[in-house]
Amino acid sequence: MPEPDRPLLQLRGITRVFRVGTETVHALNGVDLDVDRGEYVAIMGSSGSGKSTMMNVLGCLDQPTAGTYHLAGTAVSGMSSRALAEVRNARLGFIFQAFELMPRTAAWKNVALPLMYAEDGRRRGGQTPKTRAMSALEKVGLSDRAGHHPNQLSGGQKQRVAIARALVNHPKILFADEPTGNLDSRTTTEILELFGRLHGEGHTIVMVTHESDVAASAGRVIRMRDGVIDSDRSTDDDPVTAPFRRPVEAPAP
Ligand code: ADP
Ligand code: MG
């Protein structure tokens, strides 16, 4: 049973240690974090501060060395990699900086790819993978490019295909690692508008970015430093993101 009073994502004492030869790297050093349903969170911090490692743990792509992770009330830390893959496929969508699309494959086939891994998902609701991919492409405004290969698309269109792929299984939680890192400012705005719409429709979004104006589109900004959370504030209260927040229109006198 879902427990609505619990946070959607809950990390307690999360540590992730990497061993490289004789060296030990503490990528995460005891992270506590609660994210509620429907939040839109930006994660910032300098290179090497642990942002991607935290996203990978949150996204069930990696297991922590120590600590506990509850996702919607279920302890996922300690699950087998097979069970984790099922959690990912059913509940989570991923968007990456470099899009990670299959090059010589039509956009709709790229979008349908996650359905091929879902054991029961191929014909959910009597819909074929193609029908489901097409409706995801429609959500991102790319129905007219379904047959194009990624190299026939602009950067913004590629990222929209990747977002459609993230949405095809109807996950409620989206993880994006530097989703606008390869995009120009106009396209960045387009993608952020799309994220804003998805957030408005009830998706929980966790996004890594190093750009303050991008982080400002979220409601909350978390800064990482040396594998710990350094600050955690509303983007309206954060001195760096607040100037980028859209000013509230003053009521007419
Ligand atoms: P960020 O995303 O903030 O740039 P990362 O989470 O990628 O930082 O990395 C945090 C630290 O962990 C860095 O020192 C990095 O070198 C190290 N690290 C990350 N992944 C690995 C890995 N697979 N093997 C060894 N060290 C890693
Ligand atoms: Mg990173």
Side-chain angles (χ1 to χ4, degrees), residues 36-62:
D36 285 327
R37 276 187 183 75
E39 276 200 276
Y40 183 0
V41 182
I43 299 173
M44 302 191 77
S46 54
S47 177
S49 58
K51 304 180 297 294
S52 293
T53 304
M54 185 159 85
M55 286 281 279
N56 291 342
V57 170
L58 287 171
C60 300
L61 293 159
D62 187 25

mmCIF file of all heavy atoms in Angstrom, residues 36-62:
data_model
loop_
_atom_site.group_PDB
_atom_site.id
_atom_site.type_symbol
_atom_site.label_atom_id
_atom_site.label_comp_id
_atom_site.label_asym_id
_atom_site.label_seq_id
_atom_site.Cartn_x
_atom_site.Cartn_y
_atom_site.Cartn_z
ATOM 1 N N ASP A 36 9.522 14.944 -1.497
ATOM 2 C CA ASP A 36 8.099 14.609 -1.488
ATOM 3 C C ASP A 36 7.562 14.439 -2.895
ATOM 4 O O ASP A 36 8.136 14.939 -3.857
ATOM 5 C CB ASP A 36 7.300 15.712 -0.778
ATOM 6 C CG ASP A 36 7.488 15.648 0.724
ATOM 7 O OD1 ASP A 36 7.655 14.534 1.247
ATOM 8 O OD2 ASP A 36 7.481 16.721 1.358
ATOM 9 N N ARG A 37 6.437 13.765 -2.992
ATOM 10 C CA ARG A 37 5.731 13.641 -4.273
ATOM 11 C C ARG A 37 5.453 15.015 -4.849
ATOM 12 O O ARG A 37 5.016 15.918 -4.138
ATOM 13 C CB ARG A 37 4.375 12.968 -4.055
ATOM 14 C CG ARG A 37 4.445 11.489 -4.025
ATOM 15 C CD ARG A 37 3.074 10.836 -3.973
ATOM 16 N NE ARG A 37 3.271 9.400 -3.883
ATOM 17 C CZ ARG A 37 3.670 8.791 -2.771
ATOM 18 N NH1 ARG A 37 3.876 9.466 -1.668
ATOM 19 N NH2 ARG A 37 3.860 7.486 -2.774
ATOM 20 N N GLY A 38 5.718 15.149 -6.148
ATOM 21 C CA GLY A 38 5.383 16.392 -6.835
ATOM 22 C C GLY A 38 6.416 17.489 -6.693
ATOM 23 O O GLY A 38 6.221 18.576 -7.225
ATOM 24 N N GLU A 39 7.528 17.213 -6.012
ATOM 25 C CA GLU A 39 8.573 18.238 -5.917
ATOM 26 C C GLU A 39 9.370 18.309 -7.219
ATOM 27 O O GLU A 39 9.454 17.334 -7.973
ATOM 28 C CB GLU A 39 9.532 17.929 -4.759
ATOM 29 C CG GLU A 39 9.038 18.416 -3.407
ATOM 30 C CD GLU A 39 10.177 18.537 -2.406
ATOM 31 O OE1 GLU A 39 10.519 17.511 -1.794
ATOM 32 O OE2 GLU A 39 10.718 19.652 -2.259
ATOM 33 N N TYR A 40 9.979 19.479 -7.435
ATOM 34 C CA TYR A 40 10.880 19.694 -8.582
ATOM 35 C C TYR A 40 12.178 20.207 -7.961
ATOM 36 O O TYR A 40 12.233 21.321 -7.447
ATOM 37 C CB TYR A 40 10.233 20.705 -9.522
ATOM 38 C CG TYR A 40 10.966 21.008 -10.814
ATOM 39 C CD1 TYR A 40 12.173 20.403 -11.167
ATOM 40 C CD2 TYR A 40 10.406 21.915 -11.719
ATOM 41 C CE1 TYR A 40 12.801 20.700 -12.370
ATOM 42 C CE2 TYR A 40 11.035 22.220 -12.920
ATOM 43 C CZ TYR A 40 12.231 21.613 -13.241
ATOM 44 O OH TYR A 40 12.848 21.929 -14.426
ATOM 45 N N VAL A 41 13.205 19.352 -7.968
ATOM 46 C CA VAL A 41 14.431 19.609 -7.217
ATOM 47 C C VAL A 41 15.615 19.741 -8.176
ATOM 48 O O VAL A 41 15.789 18.907 -9.067
ATOM 49 C CB VAL A 41 14.728 18.438 -6.242
ATOM 50 C CG1 VAL A 41 15.971 18.721 -5.410
ATOM 51 C CG2 VAL A 41 13.530 18.171 -5.341
ATOM 52 N N ALA A 42 16.419 20.776 -7.986
ATOM 53 C CA ALA A 42 17.673 20.909 -8.740
ATOM 54 C C ALA A 42 18.826 20.546 -7.815
ATOM 55 O O ALA A 42 18.831 20.926 -6.640
ATOM 56 C CB ALA A 42 17.833 22.333 -9.247
ATOM 57 N N ILE A 43 19.802 19.812 -8.351
ATOM 58 C CA ILE A 43 21.003 19.481 -7.595
ATOM 59 C C ILE A 43 22.180 20.179 -8.260
ATOM 60 O O ILE A 43 22.399 20.021 -9.466
ATOM 61 C CB ILE A 43 21.230 17.963 -7.538
ATOM 62 C CG1 ILE A 43 20.046 17.291 -6.835
ATOM 63 C CG2 ILE A 43 22.534 17.635 -6.820
ATOM 64 C CD1 ILE A 43 20.094 15.790 -6.869
ATOM 65 N N MET A 44 22.886 20.988 -7.467
ATOM 66 C CA MET A 44 24.038 21.723 -7.978
ATOM 67 C C MET A 44 25.284 21.331 -7.187
ATOM 68 O O MET A 44 25.194 20.599 -6.210
ATOM 69 C CB MET A 44 23.796 23.237 -7.866
ATOM 70 C CG MET A 44 22.560 23.712 -8.606
ATOM 71 S SD MET A 44 22.478 25.515 -8.726
ATOM 72 C CE MET A 44 23.684 25.802 -10.033
ATOM 73 N N GLY A 45 26.426 21.863 -7.604
ATOM 74 C CA GLY A 45 27.672 21.559 -6.906
ATOM 75 C C GLY A 45 28.786 21.397 -7.919
ATOM 76 O O GLY A 45 28.536 21.036 -9.072
ATOM 77 N N SER A 46 30.018 21.632 -7.474
ATOM 78 C CA SER A 46 31.132 21.592 -8.418
ATOM 79 C C SER A 46 31.369 20.161 -8.897
ATOM 80 O O SER A 46 30.849 19.197 -8.325
ATOM 81 C CB SER A 46 32.388 22.162 -7.767
ATOM 82 O OG SER A 46 32.624 21.486 -6.569
ATOM 83 N N SER A 47 32.149 20.051 -9.953
ATOM 84 C CA SER A 47 32.475 18.756 -10.533
ATOM 85 C C SER A 47 33.144 17.873 -9.477
ATOM 86 O O SER A 47 34.025 18.325 -8.756
ATOM 87 C CB SER A 47 33.406 19.001 -11.729
ATOM 88 O OG SER A 47 33.800 17.776 -12.268
ATOM 89 N N GLY A 48 32.683 16.636 -9.366
ATOM 90 C CA GLY A 48 33.264 15.708 -8.412
ATOM 91 C C GLY A 48 32.632 15.767 -7.029
ATOM 92 O O GLY A 48 33.045 15.046 -6.119
ATOM 93 N N SER A 49 31.590 16.602 -6.859
ATOM 94 C CA SER A 49 31.002 16.764 -5.523
ATOM 95 C C SER A 49 30.034 15.634 -5.169
ATOM 96 O O SER A 49 29.578 15.551 -4.030
ATOM 97 C CB SER A 49 30.301 18.123 -5.416
ATOM 98 O OG SER A 49 29.307 18.258 -6.406
ATOM 99 N N GLY A 50 29.698 14.785 -6.154
ATOM 100 C CA GLY A 50 28.853 13.630 -5.837
ATOM 101 C C GLY A 50 27.454 13.686 -6.434
ATOM 102 O O GLY A 50 26.618 12.824 -6.127
ATOM 103 N N LYS A 51 27.203 14.655 -7.309
ATOM 104 C CA LYS A 51 25.854 14.823 -7.872
ATOM 105 C C LYS A 51 25.399 13.589 -8.646
ATOM 106 O O LYS A 51 24.307 13.071 -8.407
ATOM 107 C CB LYS A 51 25.817 16.049 -8.814
ATOM 108 C CG LYS A 51 26.263 17.342 -8.180
ATOM 109 C CD LYS A 51 26.189 18.496 -9.157
ATOM 110 C CE LYS A 51 27.101 18.385 -10.374
ATOM 111 N NZ LYS A 51 28.546 18.438 -10.062
ATOM 112 N N SER A 52 26.236 13.143 -9.586
ATOM 113 C CA SER A 52 25.829 11.992 -10.412
ATOM 114 C C SER A 52 25.726 10.729 -9.566
ATOM 115 O O SER A 52 24.818 9.916 -9.772
ATOM 116 C CB SER A 52 26.818 11.773 -11.560
ATOM 117 O OG SER A 52 26.756 12.847 -12.468
ATOM 118 N N THR A 53 26.623 10.580 -8.615
ATOM 119 C CA THR A 53 26.564 9.405 -7.748
ATOM 120 C C THR A 53 25.243 9.389 -6.981
ATOM 121 O O THR A 53 24.579 8.346 -6.882
ATOM 122 C CB THR A 53 27.764 9.389 -6.775
ATOM 123 O OG1 THR A 53 28.973 9.457 -7.538
ATOM 124 C CG2 THR A 53 27.779 8.130 -5.941
ATOM 125 N N MET A 54 24.819 10.553 -6.488
ATOM 126 C CA MET A 54 23.549 10.610 -5.760
ATOM 127 C C MET A 54 22.379 10.319 -6.687
ATOM 128 O O MET A 54 21.451 9.592 -6.320
ATOM 129 C CB MET A 54 23.366 11.961 -5.071
ATOM 130 C CG MET A 54 22.117 11.977 -4.208
ATOM 131 S SD MET A 54 22.132 13.234 -2.955
ATOM 132 C CE MET A 54 21.517 14.621 -3.872
ATOM 133 N N MET A 55 22.433 10.892 -7.917
ATOM 134 C CA MET A 55 21.367 10.615 -8.888
ATOM 135 C C MET A 55 21.298 9.126 -9.214
ATOM 136 O O MET A 55 20.219 8.571 -9.366
ATOM 137 C CB MET A 55 21.629 11.372 -10.193
ATOM 138 C CG MET A 55 21.370 12.828 -10.102
ATOM 139 S SD MET A 55 19.613 13.177 -10.201
ATOM 140 C CE MET A 55 19.397 13.090 -11.948
ATOM 141 N N ASN A 56 22.472 8.499 -9.349
ATOM 142 C CA ASN A 56 22.496 7.078 -9.689
ATOM 143 C C ASN A 56 21.909 6.224 -8.574
ATOM 144 O O ASN A 56 21.238 5.228 -8.835
ATOM 145 C CB ASN A 56 23.921 6.621 -10.021
ATOM 146 C CG ASN A 56 24.412 7.212 -11.332
ATOM 147 O OD1 ASN A 56 23.609 7.679 -12.149
ATOM 148 N ND2 ASN A 56 25.718 7.214 -11.528
ATOM 149 N N VAL A 57 22.152 6.629 -7.329
ATOM 150 C CA VAL A 57 21.541 5.911 -6.205
ATOM 151 C C VAL A 57 20.033 6.156 -6.211
ATOM 152 O O VAL A 57 19.235 5.218 -6.166
ATOM 153 C CB VAL A 57 22.172 6.334 -4.857
ATOM 154 C CG1 VAL A 57 21.367 5.767 -3.690
ATOM 155 C CG2 VAL A 57 23.629 5.865 -4.775
ATOM 156 N N LEU A 58 19.626 7.434 -6.331
ATOM 157 C CA LEU A 58 18.194 7.767 -6.336
ATOM 158 C C LEU A 58 17.473 7.058 -7.479
ATOM 159 O O LEU A 58 16.334 6.622 -7.334
ATOM 160 C CB LEU A 58 17.996 9.279 -6.465
ATOM 161 C CG LEU A 58 18.330 10.120 -5.230
ATOM 162 C CD1 LEU A 58 18.306 11.610 -5.584
ATOM 163 C CD2 LEU A 58 17.371 9.833 -4.074
ATOM 164 N N GLY A 59 18.155 6.947 -8.622
ATOM 165 C CA GLY A 59 17.555 6.334 -9.803
ATOM 166 C C GLY A 59 17.685 4.819 -9.844
ATOM 167 O O GLY A 59 17.368 4.195 -10.839
ATOM 168 N N CYS A 60 18.159 4.219 -8.748
ATOM 169 C CA CYS A 60 18.304 2.757 -8.657
ATOM 170 C C CYS A 60 19.220 2.206 -9.739
ATOM 171 O O CYS A 60 19.065 1.062 -10.194
ATOM 172 C CB CYS A 60 16.945 2.060 -8.720
ATOM 173 S SG CYS A 60 15.833 2.540 -7.402
ATOM 174 N N LEU A 61 20.169 3.026 -10.189
ATOM 175 C CA LEU A 61 21.175 2.563 -11.146
ATOM 176 C C LEU A 61 22.406 2.062 -10.408
ATOM 177 O O LEU A 61 23.274 1.414 -10.985
ATOM 178 C CB LEU A 61 21.579 3.713 -12.084
ATOM 179 C CG LEU A 61 20.489 4.202 -13.040
ATOM 180 C CD1 LEU A 61 20.779 5.614 -13.525
ATOM 181 C CD2 LEU A 61 20.352 3.252 -14.220
ATOM 182 N N ASP A 62 22.498 2.410 -9.131
ATOM 183 C CA ASP A 62 23.673 2.060 -8.339
ATOM 184 C C ASP A 62 23.207 1.812 -6.903
ATOM 185 O O ASP A 62 22.205 2.374 -6.468
ATOM 186 C CB ASP A 62 24.659 3.234 -8.382
ATOM 187 C CG ASP A 62 26.001 2.896 -7.733
ATOM 188 O OD1 ASP A 62 26.358 1.705 -7.688
ATOM 189 O OD2 ASP A 62 26.677 3.838 -7.265
#
